[in-house]
Structures are given as C-alpha cells and as structure tokens.
Amino acid sequence: MSALPAQPFYFGPEGNRLFGWLHLPSPEAHRGLGVVVCNPFGFEEVCAHRSLRQFAMAFSGAGWPSLRFDHAGCGDSEGDEFAPDVPARWLAGVNAAIDTLKAAAGVQQVVLLGVRLGATLAALAGAGRDDVAGLVALAPVVRGRGYIRELTMLGQGGGTAVASRADVLESAGFVMARATEEHLSQLDLRRLERAPAPRVLIVPRDDIDDGLDWQTPLKALGAEVQIERLPGYAKMMEDPQRTVTPQRMIEGVVQHLRRWDEALALQPVTPRPLPVEQVLSLPAAAVQERPVQVPTRDATPLFGVLTEPTDAALQPGRPAVLMLNSGAVHHIGPNRLWTRLARQWAARGVTVLRIDLSGVGDSAARPGAPENVVYSAHAMQDVSDALAYLRGTKGAGECHLLGLCSGGYHAFKAAVAGQPVASSTVINPLTYFWHDGDTLRDVKDYELGELASRYRDKVFTREPWLKLLRGQLDARVIVQVGLRRTWGHVEPYLLRLARRLRIPLRDDLAGELAQAVRQGIRLRFVFAAHAPGYDLLRKQGGSAIDRLIERQLASLDFVSDADHTFTRLEARERLVALLDRLAPISRAA
C-alpha cells in the first residue's frame, strides 16, 4: 500500500507544545485504527530516531495512520529538562498525541507503541483511557529504580563518576532533574491497577534479559498478553551512524497489528485536517520556530527547523546560521544542543536553520543514494541548497556555518569550496579528507596513535598472538596501522618539502585553509582538549593555521575537560559560552 508524505506539526496546549509527525495512509487504504509512537528518553531517542521513523512509515503504508512525537522538553518540542513536573508533562503529552491522532486522522481507537521509557509512559496513559486498543512495548522499562540505575551507569561510562551539578542526573549527554529521577524511580508497571490495553505485545531486548515478569500481573488484570522475541533491538540502538533498522521486528509488529485490526474491524470517521501553517511561538524569548522543507535541484527536499525572531519578516537582511548534522544525529544536534542554541541565538536577532542533510534524520536520501551516510558525496549540494533557501526565500544577510564532527568537516569543506558564507565554525572534526570508497569501518588517521600504542603494549604477551592464530584478529589492520604510523612520522617533512617545491598535493590541508580564507571566509576551529582533530590540523596543515591566526583570518579555541560531543553538562556549558562569543549578532537585536 502507499502512504501520503508525512506532515510535521505542533500540537498540545500552550506552554506544553509538542512537535510531531503525522503519517497518513492513502485514502483508499485508510483504517479506523491508528498508532501513536512514543519515544524513549535521551540518547536512546537519538539512536532510535531512524528506526521509529521507519516504524511509522510501515504503519501508514499498511493503512494505519500514525503519529510520532517528541516528549515535552525533548527534541523539537517546547521546554527543557528543568521545567516543573516533567513526568506529568510527558504523560499529558501521550494523552494529547492520542487525542490529536484520533481527530486529525479520523480513527476511533489507537495502538500505543513505545520503546523503553516511551513504553512505560504509553502503559501509564493507556491505563487511564478506554480508547487504547493495544500496547506494543519494545524493551519496556518495567521498574523505574532499575532504569535510573542504568542511566547512572551510562553516565559514568565516559569516565565521569560525579555529575557536574548535584541537582541533575547526567546520562550520555542528556540531563534529568532530580525531581524527575525521584518520580521515575518510584514507578513499577507490575503495580498497575488497570490494564494499559486489552491486548499487549511485549518485545524483549535481544541483547540482555532484564529478568522481570510483567506478563503475569498484566494477565491478572485481564489483558491478552503475547511475548515475542523479535530480533533487532540491539542494532537499532547502536550509535546513530551505525544503527540498523530492525526490519524483521517491524514486520512482526505489523503482523500482530493486522490481527488486532481484523478483530476490531473499525471504520474511519471524518477527520479534522491539520492547519497548513505550523508555528511554535516562544513568546518569552520573542522567538518562533517552524518546520520547513528546503527545495533542492533534484526535487528531494531537505527537512529542517527554522528558528527566528518573531519580527524577522519586518527586518530582512538579518544574519543567519546553518547548523549541520553531527554524525547521523538528527537536526536537534548533539545532546539537543542545536535546539538550545537556535532558540538562544534567535532571541538575539539571528535566523537559524537546523538542517538534516539528505539521507540523515528526517530528510530522504537523494535519488539512488543510500541513507544514513554521514560523509555523503551530496553534502556540499545540500549545504548549497540550504544556503540558497536562507538567502533567497528568507532574505538572510550574512550566513554562517556550524558543525561538529562530520558536520564540522562539511562546514570546512563548504568554506574551501567557496560557498557564500562569512564564517565556518568547525568543532572537533575527526578528519579533513574523505574519499570515495572510505567507510566508517576503516582505520582513520586519528585512531593510529591509540591503536599503535595498544598493539605495542601487548606485542610481548600471549593474548594477541593466540587471537591471531585463531583468526580473531585481523592481521591486515595491524599491518595497516604499522605502515601508516611509520608514514605518519615521515609525512610532515615530505609535505613541507612538497610545498616549498610547489608540487601539487592530493590532500593539501594547508592549501585548503588558505583557499578558504582567500574567499573571505573566516575559519573558527573549536576543539575539546586533547581532541585528535587538533593533532591532525597541526600535522597535516603545518604552520598554516598559525599564519592565519596571526592575520586574524582564523581562530583556534579549546574547551577543557571535554569529550568529543561534550556529553558532560559542565563542559557543554563552557562550549555554549564560547559559541555565544563567536556567534553573529544582529544589529537589530
């Protein structure tokens, strides 16, 4: 079956507006049952984003209207993690999503599908309603205390055993207020007094067994419970650039929903279509935000969120910032940082576009191109199309680029290519050159030092040799590391010699730095302390960056005690302060 293009929109009461996507089937396939997709929390949501989009598309393709959305204070929704009564806002959001889907899609009942904490919220919401026909719980959080312990351990995984602030729980770059933590720690779905739905499908994790028996109390409440171990959870929750859509899980869930739908035999009712104009107003900051589809040359639009002052239409020529994806993290940015900065800078008079490059996040891949490729060959065209939108459609003045990791790489390469920008802020790039055929699995230049040290420390022990004999260690990788490490010691001298003799180089970072600034583009490099990208800049670019800094054509800043994506709140606050200093300021502000 076919489906209509998904519609981004806002819903919910003032002060708790939520961002969502409405996936509608074609009219002839439209059923009377809908599906509300409930996100997990924090970094798990970032990892699951791609797969949950595919779930929603599969549902609408099968005839069931579906709605996926960001919880209050998360993603593109209003608010932040420090708002009062966050758990109550989350639960109210699930209820608002159910009501909105019923009205906008004309369905009589809904199935709730939730992942992790999203499944918990779905169960709590369903237990208080009579229009929830079923619950699909993917790796549900049954006992809140265990979940909080898991978040705490995840937060300590980066080597930080103590939170930056005593009033929050930090976990993999996301923050939870202590009041929220305390509330969630008291939750236990085994103590529900009413079944969340007449039908419940539990899909456990395929990587570990939590050992909790939820089905017995559910059956005691009268629910028809099925447990099916559908594969794909662990790979679905990998880092965004490595996540794999769980196709067999999606197909299995669709089969269950089809049986439920046939038993219910619900007919659609007259819907109330969504308003065409979708705007999130943030009156306290005099800012408004809207989802946009950026036109491209091949008619495959790029999705983005435009944040601007409420009076932007009255004052054209404002400066604009284009924020690029960090790896395969969608447009909210690493640790939701782009959402925060966009609203903060718009309050100062700057227009900000948070874009998903083609094939990443909520942007479709270009024709014939694979999706979820972070160093895409189409990225430069994507940047060009987004800048054309800002300058042409929105009437922006000076445009600036901002990116972290692969986004920093693309921001730098756009400057080298002479894209019409005033500056490029490049944060923690891991490479300055990417060629056709390169993959994320290849050994990268920034990894050589660590790998060489690891192999050197173990060369006189039995373990690596036994692994090599058993075929558990790839000898080609060891040889590659050794050769490239040796070449790395010689390379800087040969590069300097080649530049003196004016011999053209394939990968000439010094030449690219000079080329960018010759076109009037200011380069701003920002690194976490001890970031490998800084060592590469020095090694591959030589003294070029020093000369540019002396001429005030480039800048170099560091954030101490930070990792690659600034997961610790304290380090992130230092980064925000630095970026605030570097950000453009509108004369009208």
Side-chain angles (χ1 to χ4, degrees):
M1 297 181 185
S2 60
L4 301 177
Q7 300 171 254
F9 72 110
Y10 299 98
F11 67 98
E14 292 300 323
N16 195 31
R17 299 284 284 168
L18 307 177
F19 175 80
W21 286 87
L22 180 63
H23 296 255
L24 292 177
S26 57
E28 66 275 10
H30 202 297
R31 310 289 295 174
L33 182 69
V35 184
V36 171
V37 178
C38 301
N39 284 343
F41 168 76
F43 189 63
E44 289 184 327
E45 188 280 324
V46 174
C47 298
H49 184 89
R50 178 188 180 203
S51 295
L52 293 184
R53 177 170 174 258
Q54 295 297 324
F55 266 105
M57 292 169 63
F59 295 148
S60 60
W64 304 302
S66 62
L67 189 160
R68 57 188 174 96
F69 70 102
D70 294 332
H71 297 297
C74 303
D76 293 308
S77 290
E78 185 176 3
D80 60 31
E81 56 271 32
F82 300 109
D85 302 321
V86 167
R89 287 170 177 259
W90 286 346
L91 190 57
V94 178
N95 283 296
I98 296 170
D99 295 336
T100 300
L101 179 62
K102 290 177 64 179
V107 296
Q108 297 188 52
Q109 294 189 43
V110 302
V111 169
L112 301 178
L113 179 143
V115 181
R116 302 288 287 140
L117 185 61
T120 310
L121 296 171
L124 295 173
R129 303 182 66 109
D130 295 317
D131 52 2
V132 176
L135 169 67
V136 179
L138 307 183
V141 173
V142 176
R143 185 170 175 266
R145 193 172 300 280
Y147 175 66
I148 294 299
R149 185 165 56 247
E150 187 178 334
L151 288 182
T152 303
M153 293 175 63
L154 186 62
Q156 296 173 357
T160 305
V162 180
S164 302
R165 286 171 43 175
D167 61 335
V168 298
L169 167 64
E170 295 187 51
S171 183
F174 288 82
V175 173
M176 180 180 288
R178 291 297 180 189
T180 304
E181 174 193 350
E182 183 178 352
H183 180 94
L184 294 182
S185 67
Q186 302 303 314
L187 292 179
D188 191 333
L189 295 183
R190 297 170 298 182
R191 296 202 295 259
L192 286 176
E193 297 180 357
R194 187 169 183 260
R199 306 159 191 83
V200 178
L201 170 64
I202 301 174
V203 181
R205 297 176 64 156
D206 61 355
D207 53 348
I208 62 171
D209 185 357
D210 62 15
L212 295 177
D213 176 15
W214 188 28
Q215 63 269 28
T216 300
L218 281 175
K219 290 177 180 178
L221 294 173
E224 172 193 315
V225 184
Q226 292 176 287
I227 299 176
E228 186 161 357
R229 295 189 176 277
L230 298 169
Y233 173 83
K235 291 186 177 180
M236 176 179 96
M237 303 302 283
E238 289 271 6
D239 287 345
Q241 65 271 21
R242 294 184 174 86
T243 184
V244 177
T245 301
Q247 200 56 45
R248 288 176 59 188
M249 184 188 295
I250 293 174
E251 292 169 358
V253 171
V254 166
Q255 289 176 5
H256 279 275
L257 263 62
R258 189 169 282 121
R259 289 194 290 269
W260 294 353
D261 188 21
E262 290 172 355
L264 291 165
L266 299 171
Q267 295 299 313
V269 297
T270 303
R272 294 200 300 271
L274 298 172
V276 175
E277 180 71 6
Q278 291 291 335
V279 180
L280 172 64
S281 295
L282 303 171
V287 165
Q288 60 186 14
E289 203 162 73
R290 71 188 74 228
V292 296
Q293 299 286 351
V294 175
T296 64
R297 296 180 184 181
D298 61 12
T300 305
L302 302 173
F303 178 74
V305 176
L306 185 74
T307 312
E308 55 189 346
T310 52
D311 63 349
L314 303 177
Q315 297 179 350
R318 289 177 181 270
V321 176
L322 176 61
M323 296 180 174
L324 307 178
N325 298 103
S326 171
V329 175
H330 60 295
H331 53 270
I332 67 172
N335 318 311
R336 204 186 178 221
L337 183 57
W338 287 180
T339 302
R340 172 185 173 182
L341 286 177
R343 294 172 181 177
Q344 199 166 296
W345 291 352
R348 294 164 47 180
V350 179
T351 296
V352 182
L353 176 60
R354 300 182 276 120
I355 200 76
D356 279 333
L357 299 176
S358 57
V360 176
D362 291 296
S363 288
R366 300 257 182 175
E371 68 170 25
N372 218 46
V373 177
V374 299
Y375 291 100
S376 167
H378 300 283
M380 287 303 95
Q381 187 59 55
D382 295 339
V383 172
S384 177
D385 290 334
L387 290 171
Y389 171 82
L390 283 171
R391 297 172 71 89
T393 305
K394 301 308 299 181
E398 278 191 349
C399 290
H400 305 261
L401 295 176
L402 173 68
L404 184 149
C405 190
S406 64
Y409 169 87
H410 294 311
F412 173 63
K413 290 300 185 181
V416 174
Q419 300 252 21
V421 296
S423 75
S424 283
T425 301
V426 182
I427 309 172
N428 278 350
L430 290 175
T431 185
Y432 298 94
F433 300 101
W434 191 272
H435 304 293
D436 289 343
D438 288 353
T439 72
L440 294 176
R441 294 186 299 274
D442 298 334
V443 176
K444 306 299 183 298
D445 288 339
Y446 73 89
E447 298 174 309
L448 291 175
E450 179 184 350
L451 288 174
S453 176
R454 186 189 309 167
Y455 294 148
R456 185 176 59 249
D457 292 343
K458 292 187 176 182
V459 70
F460 296 112
T461 65
R462 293 181 58 199
E463 180 187 358
W465 297 103
L466 290 174
K467 286 185 175 180
L468 190 62
L469 292 172
R470 294 170 186 154
Q472 299 172 332
L473 204 58
D474 192 341
R476 292 172 300 177
V477 173
I478 299 174
V479 172
Q480 183 184 12
V481 169
L483 291 175
R484 288 175 61 184
R485 184 69 170 166
T486 302
W487 169 251
H489 292 300
V490 179
E491 183 184 21
Y493 303 100
L494 295 180
L495 287 176
R496 284 199 293 270
L497 178 61
R499 293 185 190 113
R500 288 174 185 169
L501 298 176
R502 301 185 183 278
I503 300 174
L505 299 171
R506 180 197 185 197
D507 296 338
D508 184 4
L509 182 54
E512 291 197 350
L513 291 167
Q515 183 176 332
V517 299
R518 273 199 305 269
Q519 298 172 100
I521 301 172
R522 183 175 177 82
L523 297 175
R524 294 166 170 151
F525 289 94
V526 177
F527 294 102
H530 311 297
Y534 172 68
D535 294 334
L536 284 178
L537 178 64
R538 287 294 185 189
K539 174 184 171 184
Q540 297 177 350
S543 59
I545 187 66
D546 294 319
R547 293 194 297 270
L548 296 180
I549 292 172
E550 288 173 5
R551 296 162 57 194
Q552 298 185 344
L553 299 173
S555 63
L556 192 57
D557 291 282
F558 297 90
V559 179
S560 62
D561 194 21
D563 60 12
H564 181 60
T565 55
F566 304 90
T567 54
R568 293 182 64 245
L569 178 60
E570 187 178 57
R572 200 155 59 249
E573 292 301 324
R574 289 195 296 273
L575 175 66
V576 167
L578 172 59
L579 294 178
D580 273 343
R581 178 169 58 82
L582 298 177
I585 300 176
S586 171
R587 293 186 180 90

